Structures are given as structure tokens and as C-alpha cells.
Amino acid sequence: MTMYRLVLGALALSATVVGSPLATSYSDGVVNTTTCGSYSYSYDSMVGYGFLAGNAVDNYGDTIGFGSSITLERPSVKVTTLADGSKNVSAIVYNLPDRGWNTEGTTNFEPRIYKFEIAFQPKSGGSFKPNLQWRLVDTLILTDPYGNPLTGYDCDTKLRFPNMPHIPAATFENNGWYDFGGQNISVRVCFDAETLNVIDGSIENGFWISDEYGPYLYRFNSRGMMVEAIRPPEAFIPYRNGTESFSADSPRIDTGVDDDITPSDPDSGRSNNQGFEGGTLSPDGKYIYALLQSATVQDGGLKKYTNSYSRMVKYDISTPGESELVGEWVVKLPTFYNPDSSAKKNPRTAAQSEIYALSESQFFVIARDSGKGHGQSDGTESLYRHIDVFDITNATDIHSIDEYNVATGAVAPGGVLVDGITSATLCPFLDVNVNSQLNKFGGGLHNGGEQNWELLNEKWEGMVLIPADGKSGSDDKYYVIITSDDDFMTQQGFVNFGKNTYRDSAGYNLDNQALVFEITLPSSLKPFKDFPAGS
């Protein structure tokens, strides 16, 4: 494993706001439309771009990585229409990092969420300056039910808390930050957070986070303490040699211990680092949905050309502490042709990175390829990076069919869907990679081409909607903000509450990027009806 340079005595860096609003607005027509079932969607224009510097730090002095998920504090939304017809939009959002800097192995990063104030004036481009501003307000460290912090370390054991299933955990010596020789052993919940959803539109009601290691779903109160855990059916749980094994085969940096696991891949359940990458609450807040990033191992999950049949679960969470599985569906993810792969290894799966419930049947999903973009060695041009739509209206609900939900239960062995199961309907929609839209911002944002700061990052994993009217979406117009996960890749990184620094060996400085699109939803879909913004 590559060892990174560790430097004691870090200097403080400021998490400054980047960008300023633009002055005017104009429309340049509709980019794309699509129909999914009886519903029509319109991608009107890309209207915003902004970023937070990759070396910005949070309230605890650690490097910020804000793109794994984003959720909206709905009462905070304010939309003002100016005399020239342009709008000012402001809101409070909460952003989620995953397990910390992990390009060279896992660390004892303490999972947290960030509170940001954002502001933008929707534009169609025409200026060098970004128009989406970010200001860090606060950082909330997450804890287990006893108040102990969590860890980004790979899992090697389990913990048990009252009224919860046993939970994946990790053991380590001392504080986990390379001070060898001590005798103190800690056991913490291991956490690779991927989705964040505030309950009933406000952080005051607590929030849900989905995790890749389990894959589990966790509810936290407004202070960041874990109060509930959901373990999915056994078909989702990773097993090795007949025993559950939550390791993602992600060795730890600088521990001096060889913690690779054998075999590296599970025999069944979620694939390594392919857990609940997508998670969303229903518009009425009564249900939570979680979607695996790609297929389980037994459903072809170990190969990118057989792992398109993912699974989504639905839990009734209307009564706190009494969650109940009430739905499960197969979602066939989009595929694309990669000319760098042989014919027999095509088409490839565009794994999903986030979902957003528009109703109880239709969802947005971010689906993308991998290894392409800023800081990546495989190239700069992404071949598939979309916000698509999927519909489960006609899909087969398999949550009560035991044979599909036992430890080795398969719905698509070898990547072939079994007879009798209908997967969700997938409808391509918003192509993030359209350079004619990207080029309007930042002096020339782009997909493909030169490896520079204006090149899109590889991973786009956060998604949130804001109604353009600042309330419930009466005109069917919405802004979609997506955020990138930069993997904390910087040459001026801070860890261990600002005490130590690191430099990513790839040599790149990646910013936390965000894009804004204006869309039109079908008039019958009102995702803000139950909990309007600005109220």
C-alpha cells in the first residue's frame, strides 16, 4: 500500500465562500424532454455552478468533502423575484461526506454532516464567475447511541445496542492516528455514509443516513446521535465462507497491520463498496427507500458487465423505532458501450450514486460510469453521467418472496433476470455531460479534454430539488443541485481534527463542485406538497 507523508502541526485554512452572483438572466430553449410512463419531464437549462475549494476545512479543522449527499432545510428556502424577472434563491442545506480521505486506504475519520448556507441567481451562463455560493455554518459529529464517535475504518467486528440489530464495527489501537505502542483498544461503529435525508423537511426532526458497509439504514436525532438502525434482508448482507462479513476489503492507512481480508469479495450480498449508495424519503415522509449501487454478488455483482440488476427496498418508518419492510423491487440500471473494453465485456453498467423520490412510484437516479474526470488516470471524458427517471409501477414487488431474500437468494444469477420478475422502467433524462451547457459556466466547464480545474470531477453523488417558486412548485419548475464527491483529494489536507496533514499521492487538488439545472416536472407530481419549502 502507498504510504502518505504525515506532517504534524497543521496550519489552519479558511472555508471561504467562492463565487459571486451574476447580473442578468436569459433563456436558451429546452435541452431535452423525456416521457416515463404517462409523465413528461423537461430539462430546460443548466443554470448554475459553484464550488468549495478542496483545501477548505470544517469547524474542527479537517478537510471538507461535501458531495456524497445533500438535503434541504425546507423552511429556510427563500426565492425573491427581481424587477427584471431574475430570481435570487437562498437556503440552508446539509451535506454529507463519506468515510473521509480514502484513496489510499481507510482512516479513523469521524463521520459528520456539514451545514451550509447557499445562494444563487439562476443563469444561463455567459460569465467566468460561478453563481452558486457556499458558506459553511456548522459541522455536526455523528455518534452511536452511547455518544461515542463513529469511524471510517473498514469493518472487522460487530457491536450491539439496545433495541437494534447488531451493527458493523471496527477495532483499533489508541486514537487510530498512528501513535503506535499503546494498549488502549477501541471499538466503534464503522460507517461509510452515502445518503442524507432530514425528516419532514427539517433537521429539528432528525435525519436518516444510509451506509455502504452494512448496508444499513440509520436514524439520528437532531444532535447527531444514532437512535435507530435497519438491517435489510439477508440477500443484501455480505457473507464470506458462510459467515457474515462486513469488510469492504479496504485496508487501513499506516496502521502497520495487514488487514486485507480473504477472500477479498463476499460470496453473496452487497459487493465491496456497492452498498446503499442511494436513499430517499417519500414525499409524505412515511417511507424510506434505499437502492444498492449495483447488483448483489449473487445477481452478477462482481463484474461491471453483469451487475446492472440492482435492488431497492422500501420501509414504513411512520412509527419511530418500528420500521417495517413493505416493498422491494429490482431496478435495472442503465448500460453504455465502452470502446476500451472488449465486446464480451460490453455493455457496462452505469452504477447509481443517488436517488430522489418524486412520488411513491417515480424516482430520479444519478447513474454514471467511473474512472473518468478530474484527477483520474483513466481519462477525462465520461461516457455516461445522467440524472435518469425510473418507475416501479409495473415492477414486481419481491419483498415477501422468501427465496429471493435469503442469504444467497438471487433475482438475476450471472446478470440474467429470472422469469416472472419485471424490473423497474428506466427512462434516460438529463445528460450532465452536455458540453454546450457546461461551457457556459466557470470560463468553460467541460467533460473530456484538458485535465484542469474546469474539468468535471468523476463522482457525482448528491442531489436535491428546490421549487422555483420557493414553496410547493405551483408552476412545476424546479432547480436540481448535484454535488461531486472529490474523495478529499488535495495536496493540503487536514485530518485528526487539524492536527495532522496529508497529501494525496495522485498529485491533484480537487474542488468540491456543484451544478444547478432547471427542470419542469409533470404537473401531477408534487414532491413538496406535504412539506412545502419556505414555510
Side-chain angles (χ1 to χ4, degrees):
M1 178 188 299
T2 302
M3 306 292 279
Y4 75 92
R5 183 181 178 188
L6 183 68
V7 184
L8 299 178
L11 298 176
L13 294 176
S14 175
T16 55
V17 177
V18 182
S20 59
L22 304 181
T24 59
S25 175
Y26 65 91
S27 174
D28 60 350
V30 172
V31 181
N32 183 58
T33 61
T34 193
T35 299
C36 201
S38 59
Y39 299 99
S40 296
Y41 296 81
S42 172
Y43 167 20
D44 301 328
S45 180
M46 180 177 166
V47 296
Y49 159 68
F51 66 91
L52 192 74
N55 62 0
V57 297
D58 64 21
N59 303 75
Y60 293 96
D62 287 346
T63 296
I64 293 174
F66 77 8
S68 282
S69 190
I70 177 174
T71 190
L72 179 66
E73 178 73 14
R74 294 192 179 189
S76 72
V77 175
K78 184 177 181 180
V79 178
T80 303
T81 302
L82 306 180
D84 64 357
S86 62
K87 294 182 177 182
N88 286 326
V89 181
S90 63
I92 295 292
V93 295
Y94 295 90
N95 288 50
L96 180 74
D98 48 24
R99 58 186 173 184
W101 178 57
N102 68 131
T103 60
E104 299 169 30
T106 54
T107 68
N108 189 30
F109 174 79
E110 295 191 5
R112 61 200 70 188
I113 63 174
Y114 307 120
K115 179 181 181 180
F116 282 99
E117 288 182 354
I118 63 169
F120 65 97
Q121 286 186 323
K123 307 298 177 187
S124 293
S127 173
F128 180 83
K129 293 182 179 179
N131 64 324
L132 172 61
Q133 303 175 79
W134 295 83
R135 187 179 77 84
L136 180 66
V137 178
D138 203 0
T139 306
L140 179 65
I141 301 290
L142 305 179
T143 71
D144 70 20
Y146 294 156
N148 301 306
L150 317 179
T151 181
Y153 271 147
D154 197 9
C155 314
D156 62 2
T157 188
K158 292 171 285 189
L159 281 172
R160 175 78 72 172
F161 299 101
N163 303 314
M164 292 186 184
H166 60 253
I167 293 174
T171 57
F172 56 90
E173 294 183 358
N174 302 317
N175 71 351
W177 289 106
Y178 327 116
D179 49 352
F180 303 114
Q183 300 298 316
N184 297 324
I185 303 296
S186 296
V187 183
R188 292 185 183 177
V189 173
C190 53
F191 212 64
D192 187 3
E194 293 297 346
T195 72
L196 173 66
N197 290 276
V198 295
I199 298 171
D200 294 349
S202 176
I203 197 76
E204 293 181 0
N205 305 310
F207 50 93
W208 284 90
I209 291 179
S210 73
D211 159 71
E212 281 208 300
Y213 280 137
Y216 276 34
L217 292 165
Y218 298 97
R219 182 169 63 90
F220 294 81
N221 64 22
S222 61
R223 301 183 303 279
M225 178 177 287
M226 183 187 297
V227 293
E228 185 175 352
I230 297 176
R231 175 187 170 100
E234 290 300 288
F236 292 72
I237 302 299
Y239 279 82
R240 289 178 172 87
N241 300 319
T243 302
E244 65 178 15
S245 171
F246 294 105
S247 171
D249 191 36
S250 301
R252 306 171 183 184
I253 294 178
D254 281 1
T255 60
V257 177
D258 181 8
D259 57 357
D260 286 334
I261 192 166
T262 302
S264 59
D265 293 310
D267 301 318
S268 65
R270 65 101 179 107
S271 296
N272 290 334
N273 303 307
Q274 299 282 295
F276 282 147
E277 187 79 20
T280 183
L281 297 179
S282 60
D284 62 9
K286 296 179 180 179
Y287 304 97
I288 189 168
Y289 301 84
L291 177 64
L292 291 176
Q293 187 165 19
S294 64
T296 63
V297 172
Q298 66 268 27
D299 293 326
L302 297 183
K303 298 176 181 178
K304 292 184 178 180
Y305 52 93
T306 61
N307 67 346
S308 63
Y309 287 105
S310 185
R311 300 194 194 198
M312 183 174 75
V313 288
K314 175 184 180 181
Y315 284 87
D316 183 338
I317 54 170
S318 56
T319 303
E322 298 182 14
S323 59
E324 179 185 3
L325 180 66
V326 294
E328 180 185 350
W329 301 269
V330 175
V331 178
K332 189 180 190 308
L333 301 174
T335 57
F336 64 97
Y337 183 82
N338 184 352
D340 295 330
S341 299
S342 64
K344 67 179 181 180
K345 294 184 178 181
N346 268 299
R348 316 276 288 182
T349 300
Q352 68 87 19
S353 293
E354 183 61 290
I355 58 175
Y356 191 100
L358 304 169
S359 68
E360 285 193 37
S361 62
Q362 296 224 337
F363 303 79
F364 277 153
V365 57
I366 297 178
R368 59 178 179 82
D369 55 10
S370 60
K372 310 285 188 179
H374 193 194
Q376 300 301 306
S377 59
D378 290 346
T380 63
E381 184 176 7
S382 167
L383 300 175
Y384 200 101
R385 189 186 280 139
H386 279 204
I387 299 174
D388 290 330
V389 184
F390 70 88
D391 188 325
I392 60 173
T393 301
N394 298 315
T396 306
D397 184 352
I398 62 171
H399 85 277
S400 61
I401 305 177
D402 292 342
E403 65 179 291
Y404 299 136
N405 288 295
V406 295
T408 57
V411 296
V416 179
L417 191 63
V418 301
D419 292 338
I421 296 180
T422 300
S423 63
T425 301
L426 180 78
C427 309
F429 176 43
L430 192 156
D431 186 351
V432 176
N433 291 335
V434 176
N435 272 316
S436 62
Q437 293 293 308
L438 296 170
N439 293 167
K440 298 182 298 186
F441 288 91
L445 284 179
H446 57 99
N447 171 52
E450 185 178 354
Q451 182 74 254
N452 58 22
W453 72 274
E454 295 166 323
L455 177 66
L456 291 189
N457 290 346
E458 173 205 14
K459 298 179 179 179
W460 291 83
E461 301 189 353
M463 174 169 48
V464 71
L465 269 64
I466 298 178
D469 66 359
K471 298 178 181 179
S472 58
S474 59
D475 59 358
D476 303 323
K477 298 287 186 180
Y478 296 82
Y479 304 117
V480 181
I481 300 176
I482 62 172
T483 54
S484 68
D485 175 9
D486 69 347
D487 280 332
F488 296 79
M489 191 180 293
T490 179
Q491 302 305 295
Q492 295 175 293
F494 289 80
V495 293
N496 191 20
F497 297 95
K499 297 175 184 177
N500 305 339
T501 66
Y502 70 88
R503 301 186 184 100
D504 192 278
S505 63
Y508 289 98
N509 288 297
L510 267 60
D511 295 320
N512 296 280
Q513 300 174 336
L515 306 177
V516 188
F517 305 95
E518 182 180 291
I519 65 168
T520 304
L521 289 184
S523 59
S524 57
L525 297 184
K526 298 292 183 185
F528 282 74
K529 177 182 177 181
D530 294 284
F531 303 101
S535 60

